[in-house]
Structures are given as C-alpha cells and as structure tokens.
C-alpha cells in the first residue's frame, strides 16, 4: 500500500507508478541516448570523412569506452541504489555518506583509468583486434578520447545520483549539453579543419568537459541531503557496499567489453579466411553493435528510471509497488524492443548506409550481420531490466549472475565454438542463440524473486 502524501515527503512512496516511471524514465532514456550518441555521431562523421578504416578504428577503441562506462555504473548505480534504499528507510546520514564516498570514488578511479590507458594503449589496441591498417587511426583517436574518460565517469555517476535524488531532468540536461556540443564540433573539426579522427576525438572530449562541469555542480544542489566535508573520504567498507550494489551493471559492461574483444579478434581471423577479408567484418561489426547500443540505451534508460522507485519502495516495504514498477518497466521494454526488431530486420541496409559507403561485399556482410546477430533483440531487455532490479532491491549477487549469463556464460563460448564448424557464419548465429538461453535463465530467477516478494508482502499485511 502506498504512503499517503502527508506520511512522507518523497513522492516515490505515493505517486502513481505510471506517472513516476514517465517522470524518471523519459529523462533517463534521453540521457542514455545522448550518451550513446557520442560514439554514434563520431562513427557517422568519421565514416563520411575518413572511410571504413576510420569506422574500424572507433570499433577497436570502443572497449575502452565500455570499460569506462562500467566504472561509472559501478559507482553511479551502486551509490544511487544505496542512496534510495537508505532514504526509503529514513536513514539520511547514511545516504549522505554514500554520496560523499561515491564522489571520492569517481575522481580516484577516473584518474587511475586514464593513466593506465596512456601507459598501455598500444598493446590494448592490439588485444582489441586492431590490424596494421587500422592501428594508426585507432591510436590517434584513443590517445585523445582517453583524456575525457575521467570526465565521463563523473558525469554518468553523478547523473545516476541526481536521478535518485528526484532530479531526472537535471541528469538529462547534463548529457544533452555535451552531446550537442560534440555534434556541432564534429563536422567542423573533421571537414573544415581536416583533422580526421583526431578532430572527432577532440569534439568528444570538449563535449564531455561541459557535461562534467554541469554534473559536478549538482553536489551543491541535492534536494534530500546536504553534503558536509566529513561525508567524503576513503571508507573501504562504504566503497565495498557501493561496489556490490553496482556490480551487476558494471559487470554487464565489462562483459560487453570482453565479448567485443573476442568478437573483433574472431571476425578478423575468420574474415581473413573468407571472401570479405579482415577489415570489412571489423567495420561492419562496429556499426551493428553501436546501432544496437541505441536500442539498448533506451532500455537501460527505462531500467535506470525505475531504479530509484524500486529501491525507495523496497526500503519502505511497499512490496506491491515494487512488483508493479517492475512489470511496468518490462512492458515498456517489450514495446521498444519490438520496434527495434522490425527496424533491424526490414531496414538494415538503410541503417548501415547512414554510416558511410562501401563496396558490394561490405554491404552484403553488414546486412547479414545485423539481421542474424540481432534476431533475438526482442527479449534482450528483460535481462538488463531484471539485473538492475536485483541491484535496486539490495541483492547484487543475483544481479551479477544475470549480467554474466548472456555475455560470458553463453555468448563467448558460442563465439569460440560455432565458427569451428560454420566459419564466419558461426559468429553471426552465436548472438541470437545466447540471447534466447539468457532470456530463459532470467525468467526462472525473476519468477522466484517475485514469489519471495509476494511472501514478504503477505507478512507485512
């Protein structure tokens, strides 16, 4: 039963669920779309101004961005989940400590990450599948974009906290500022100043800087807490608690990175044995993965929009609202995924053409890759929303298990085994098979959890 307005000031406890999800999810979806546009816009302009080798370079560099986002999610989702649970339970001081510790984590891990990239860039790019043709472009692009990685970590993590604090529109605006800047500067740097992939990289970093400045300013503007100097610091226990709640989302990004590395190297190896060569599959994969990232960003936005609602109501023991918001989020996800499925199956060539030109073999492979690899996209979002749901209710281990199912437990083995029998086609079919098995696994775990929540609801009645 929802709290009445007079019983609590936080609307998460009493506002109608559809209204809450709209209010939180729409800005979150926009913010996630904008975040994914950094790479998409670079891909489009580089494809038009540099060619498919430039697209291959951004694909090779992409794992570094997904690792960066995994760090941001570890801190952002973890601290936002803890923040929501503590606020729901009425523990304001604990919520303040969670936020202060999270901000310390953002800056510390951001600096460590950029130093590691600069020191080990060349071997990292080779491990990610860079060929001799692609390496100069990839190195030029990544040396620069690495400078913006700490900014990206702070911006994304603070956006999650702002959303949990009841300011989803502020979170969205932080991302919009950077994306608009990046979109304006990309064509200027690439076509007017003839800076190539380096121009796209600088446009990205400048956009990230503006988003960062706006995001960090929110530390002074929290609505439900007031940060003091003693809330910041290196409390290892608090770090561990935040990390445990953000682990499922973070590991999902790490798994994506791992899959991307295996995928790139497999495509390079088996592509060289096919009529397509090694560079065409690498470039096509980058476009397909990043196009799918647009759809996933919408689903993740829905998931992140539901997170503070789930966390607060679970902390307040309003279990009917917890179940209700999960079902609503899943329903929205299925509608979005259905639209994505239709676009990927009916209009693949038109989508791929947006990212530049290529020969007949390039389009032939790219179209087949999109149709086959993304065939089970209709059910992908169920796993994402469910793993975030477990994190929101303070059960990170189950969230971690779900995060690893599709990417690590199923997809990677299939990527290694199927090509032995099917050649490069085995890589394409590994995607939908892994998606189907992961969906079944998710359904089993979430049904058990919903039965447990119903039991808690009956005990609380």
């Amino acid at each position: 039963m929802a709290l009445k307005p007079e019983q609590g000031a936080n609307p998460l406890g009493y506002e109608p669920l559809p209204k809450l999800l709209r209010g939180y999810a729409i800005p979150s979806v926009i913010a996630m779309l904008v975040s994914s546009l950094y790479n998409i816009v670079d891909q489009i302009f580089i494809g038009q101004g540099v060619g498919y080798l430039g697209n291959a370079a951004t694909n090779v560099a992409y794992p570094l961005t997904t690792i960066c986002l995994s760090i941001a999610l570890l801190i952002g989702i973890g601290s936002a989940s803890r923040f929501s649970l503590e606020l729901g339970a009425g523990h304001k001081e604990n919520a303040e400590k969670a936020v202060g510790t999270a901000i310390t984590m953002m800056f510390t891990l951001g600096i460590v990450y950029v130093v590691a990239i600069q020191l080990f860039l060349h071997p990292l790019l080779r491990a990610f599948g860079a060929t001799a043709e692609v390496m100069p472009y990839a190195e030029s692009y990544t040396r620069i974009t690495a400078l913006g990685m700490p900014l990206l970590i702070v911006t994304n993590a603070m956006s999650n906290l702002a959303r949990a604090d009841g300011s989803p529109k502020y979170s969205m605006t932080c991302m919009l500022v950077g994306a608009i800047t990046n979109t304006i500067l990309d064509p200027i740097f690439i076509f007017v100043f003839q800076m190539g992939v380096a121009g796209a990289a600088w446009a990205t970093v400048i956009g990230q800087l503006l988003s960062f400045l706006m995001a960090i300013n929110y530390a002074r503007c929290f609505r439900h807490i007031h940060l003091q100097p003693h809330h910041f610091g290196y409390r290892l226990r608090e770090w561990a608690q935040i990390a445990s709640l953000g682990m499922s989302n973070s590991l999902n990004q790490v798994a994506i990175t791992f899959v991307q590395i295996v995928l790139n190297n497999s495509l390079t190896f088996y592509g060289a044995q096919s009529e397509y060569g090694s560079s065409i599959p690498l470039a096509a994969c980058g476009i397909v993965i990043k196009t799918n990232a647009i759809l996933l960003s919408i689903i993740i936005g829905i998931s992140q929009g539901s997170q503070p609602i789930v966390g607060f109501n679970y902390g307040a023991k309003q279990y009917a609202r917890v179940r209700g918001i999960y079902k609503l989020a899943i329903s929205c996800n299925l509608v979005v995924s259905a639209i994505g499925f239709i676009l990927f199956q009916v209009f693949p060539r038109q989508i791929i053409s947006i990212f530049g030109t290529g020969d007949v073999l390039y389009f032939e492979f790219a179209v087949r890759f999109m149709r086959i690899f993304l065939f089970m996209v209709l059910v992908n979002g169920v796993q994402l929303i469910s793993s975030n749901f477990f994190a929101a209710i303070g059960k990170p281990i189950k969230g971690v298990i779900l995060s690893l199912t599709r990417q690590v437990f199923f997809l990677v083995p299939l990527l290694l085994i199927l090509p032995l029998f099917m050649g490069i086609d085995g890589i394409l079919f590994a995607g939908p098979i892994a998606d189907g098995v992961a969906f079944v696994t998710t359904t089993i775990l979430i049904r058990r959890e919903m039965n447990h929540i119903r039991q808690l609801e009956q005990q609380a009645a």
Side-chain angles (χ1 to χ4, degrees):
M1 185 175 179
L3 291 172
K4 296 178 182 179
E6 63 268 23
Q7 291 178 298
N10 198 318
L12 293 174
Y14 60 82
E15 288 280 6
L17 295 179
K19 179 181 178 181
L20 280 174
L21 188 60
R22 281 196 305 271
Y24 278 78
I26 291 176
S28 181
V29 166
I30 294 172
M32 289 302 302
L33 278 172
V34 167
S35 180
S36 70
L37 281 176
Y38 275 115
N39 283 292
I40 296 295
V41 168
D42 283 352
Q43 192 97 46
I44 292 172
F45 285 119
I46 288 172
Q48 300 291 342
V50 179
Y52 74 85
L53 287 177
N55 276 335
T58 60
N59 182 37
V60 167
Y62 193 56
L64 290 173
T65 300
T66 58
I67 293 172
C68 178
L69 290 175
S70 75
I71 297 171
L73 289 172
L74 180 77
I75 304 168
I77 295 294
S79 58
S81 297
R82 183 156 169 73
F83 176 80
S84 297
L85 287 167
E86 295 293 354
L87 279 186
H91 303 149
K92 183 179 176 182
E93 177 67 19
N94 288 343
E96 291 169 336
K97 286 181 180 179
V99 173
T101 303
I103 293 174
T104 306
M105 291 176 70
M106 296 172 204
F107 282 93
T108 303
L109 297 183
I111 293 170
V112 170
Y113 187 55
V114 70
V115 171
I117 292 175
Q118 297 295 348
L119 289 176
F120 304 106
L121 180 59
H122 208 269
L124 283 171
L125 293 178
R126 280 204 307 270
F128 296 160
T131 62
E133 289 181 293
V134 173
M135 181 63 80
Y137 297 95
E139 191 165 3
S140 174
Y141 181 78
T142 312
R143 286 277 181 208
I144 299 167
T145 54
L147 301 176
M149 297 295 183
L151 309 178
L152 187 60
I153 289 172
V154 173
T155 300
N156 278 272
M158 285 299 298
S159 292
N160 280 285
L161 284 169
R163 191 180 305 115
D165 188 51
S167 301
K169 291 181 180 178
Y170 191 99
S171 173
M172 173 190 69
T173 306
C174 289
M175 304 305 297
L176 276 175
V177 168
I180 293 172
T181 302
N182 182 45
T183 304
I184 294 171
L185 293 180
D186 255 336
I188 296 174
F189 287 172
I190 293 174
F191 299 111
V192 178
F193 295 145
Q194 298 291 308
M195 295 172 66
V197 293
W202 279 117
T204 297
V205 172
I206 293 171
Q208 289 170 341
L209 175 61
L210 295 180
S211 289
F212 162 81
L213 292 174
M214 186 172 181
I216 198 61
N217 181 64
Y218 193 80
R220 303 185 299 108
C221 311
F222 275 92
R223 298 170 61 181
H224 297 289
I225 62 171
H226 181 64
L227 293 176
Q228 299 289 338
H230 69 273
H231 293 138
F232 300 86
Y234 294 90
R235 303 178 187 86
L236 295 183
R237 184 177 179 182
E238 190 72 37
W239 278 48
Q241 289 176 325
I242 289 172
S244 68
L245 292 175
M247 188 64 71
S248 61
N249 288 270
S250 179
L251 282 180
N252 192 52
Q253 285 294 320
V254 172
I256 290 172
T257 305
F258 182 49
V259 168
Q260 189 74 49
I261 295 169
V262 175
L263 194 55
N264 286 350
N265 283 282
S266 297
L267 287 169
T268 301
F269 180 78
Y270 290 101
Q273 301 176 18
S274 72
E275 61 181 327
Y276 303 112
S278 59
S279 294
I280 284 177
L282 198 61
C285 174
I287 290 172
V288 171
I289 295 299
K290 289 180 182 177
T291 302
N292 187 43
I294 297 177
L295 176 66
L296 292 179
S297 68
I298 298 174
I299 297 170
I300 292 171
I302 295 171
S303 178
Q304 291 184 352
S306 66
Q307 177 270 323
I309 309 170
V310 170
F312 182 91
N313 284 284
Y314 195 86
K317 299 183 179 181
Q318 298 194 91
Y319 300 116
R321 289 173 65 81
V322 173
R323 290 189 294 107
I325 196 63
Y326 174 80
K327 292 178 181 178
L328 190 58
I330 288 292
S331 299
C332 294
N333 150 70
L334 291 175
V335 172
V336 172
S337 296
I339 295 171
F341 175 82
I342 293 170
L343 291 175
F344 295 153
Q345 296 301 316
V346 180
F347 305 106
R349 186 181 178 92
Q350 290 86 341
I351 294 171
I352 292 162
S353 298
I354 297 172
F355 296 89
T357 58
D359 57 24
V360 175
L361 283 176
Y362 168 74
F363 277 105
E364 177 186 312
F365 181 81
V367 168
R368 289 188 70 242
F369 195 113
M370 180 170 285
R371 280 181 170 155
I372 297 173
F373 197 78
L374 301 182
F375 185 76
M376 291 293 288
V377 74
L378 185 64
V379 299
N380 276 357
V382 176
Q383 181 211 21
L384 287 171
I385 290 177
S386 298
S387 64
N388 196 40
F389 174 81
F390 281 118
I393 63 174
K395 297 186 177 181
I397 294 177
K398 291 184 178 180
V400 168
I401 292 172
L402 282 189
S403 295
L404 296 178
T405 51
R406 192 260 182 185
Q407 307 288 359
V408 177
F409 297 156
F410 305 137
L411 184 54
V412 169
L414 288 169
L415 286 173
L416 297 175
I417 295 170
L418 291 184
L420 296 175
F421 305 97
M422 303 172 64
I424 199 167
D425 280 353
I427 299 173
L428 276 59
F429 284 98
I433 295 173
D435 292 338
V437 180
F439 171 70
V440 173
T441 305
T442 300
T443 302
I444 293 171
L445 285 177
I446 205 69
R447 279 184 176 176
R448 289 179 179 177
E449 188 60 38
M450 287 300 168
N451 288 335
H452 176 65
I453 290 176
R454 287 190 186 93
Q455 292 174 3
L456 293 177
E457 186 180 351
Q458 291 172 359
Q459 292 171 8

